[in-house]
């Protein structure tokens, strides 16, 4: 056995050339829209937590009541 060989068997259930979240024309499928909406919501929440350090208590209460 030589150590110059590389083996890759792929991911179980993954089909070659199949995109799960994107149609052939580049638009997102319903699952893709949901997936990427979740990602942006997480980023928004993370940004909001970061911004809380510079906000006053009244600003925080206003933002929480609007959400």
């Amino acid at each position: 056995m030589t150590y110059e060989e590389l083996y890759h068997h792929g991911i179980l259930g993954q089909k070659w050339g199949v995109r799960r979240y994107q149609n052939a024309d580049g638009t997102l499928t319903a699952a893709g829209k949901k997936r990427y909406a979740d990602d942006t919501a997480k980023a928004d929440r993370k940004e909001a937590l970061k911004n809380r350090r510079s906000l006053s208590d009244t600003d925080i209460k206003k933002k929480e009541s609007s959400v």
Side-chain angles (χ1 to χ4, degrees):
M1 179 175 174
T2 65
Y3 291 101
E4 296 176 9
E5 297 177 22
L6 176 66
Y7 292 97
H8 177 61
H9 301 286
I11 299 170
L12 185 63
Q14 181 70 41
K15 305 293 183 195
W16 286 101
V18 176
R19 296 180 182 258
R20 294 182 180 170
Y21 302 111
Q22 190 175 9
N23 295 321
D25 62 355
T27 59
L28 294 175
T29 62
K33 289 176 185 174
K34 181 180 178 193
R35 176 186 174 96
Y36 295 121
D38 290 345
D39 289 347
T40 55
K42 286 179 187 176
D44 290 344
R45 277 187 253 130
K46 192 179 251 185
E47 186 67 29
L49 288 174
K50 190 185 299 183
N51 288 339
R52 282 187 171 196
R53 293 181 186 146
S54 63
L55 296 175
S56 68
D57 289 340
T58 54
D59 292 337
I60 292 172
K61 288 179 183 177
K62 286 180 189 176
K63 286 191 180 254
E64 287 177 349
S65 64
S66 66
V67 175

